[in-house]
Amino acid sequence: QVQLVESGGGSVPAGGSLRLSCAVSGITVRSSCMTWFRQAPGKEREGVQGFYTGGDIEYYRHSVQGRFFISQDDTRNTMYLQMNSLKPEDTAMYYCAAARCVRGWGDFWDVGSKYPYWGQGTQVTVSS
């Protein structure tokens, strides 16, 4: 049984930082395609940053470039999202998602329907 459990969300002022964690069981982070998504109230879900460590492949949303960084801890089978210089527009529920990597994943890394495994989400609120 695959489980993803996010943590680390919270409320911070603009310019602050948070680190989200996604603890994974049932699959290996290193051998999976892992992506952070977010959804703000009244808006569609969007991919934030995705990676496949086994192939050293990473994708990210342009608006988070240089501010968000994805990493993993193989010993803990956990994925992280370090978020710096947070902006009010980053306010959303953040979800981690996992899928078995397939050829062409880069063409749909930010398509939520391609991921069968999801966490419950963690709220990030950035005040101006």
Side-chain angles (χ1 to χ4, degrees), residues 45-122:
R45 181 175 56 193
E46 60 186 24
V48 176
Q49 200 153 1
F51 81 129
Y52 169 49
T53 304
D56 196 22
I57 299 171
E58 185 174 328
Y59 298 95
Y60 49 85
R61 191 168 194 81
H62 179 72
S63 62
V64 306
Q65 183 180 4
R67 299 190 299 123
F68 289 13
F69 303 92
I70 203 167
S71 63
Q72 68 180 69
D73 182 336
D74 288 343
T75 61
R76 299 176 183 270
N77 206 35
T78 297
M79 177 176 69
Y80 301 97
L81 183 67
Q82 177 66 43
M83 305 186 296
N84 301 325
S85 301
L86 282 161
K87 304 176 181 180
E89 52 263 42
D90 294 319
T91 294
M93 184 72 80
Y94 282 71
Y95 301 89
C96 63
R100 288 181 173 81
C101 291
V102 297
R103 180 176 296 182
W105 170 68
D107 293 333
F108 47 81
W109 73 272
D110 58 348
V111 178
S113 61
K114 299 296 186 181
Y115 294 80
Y117 309 116
W118 290 81
Q120 81 288 351
T122 186

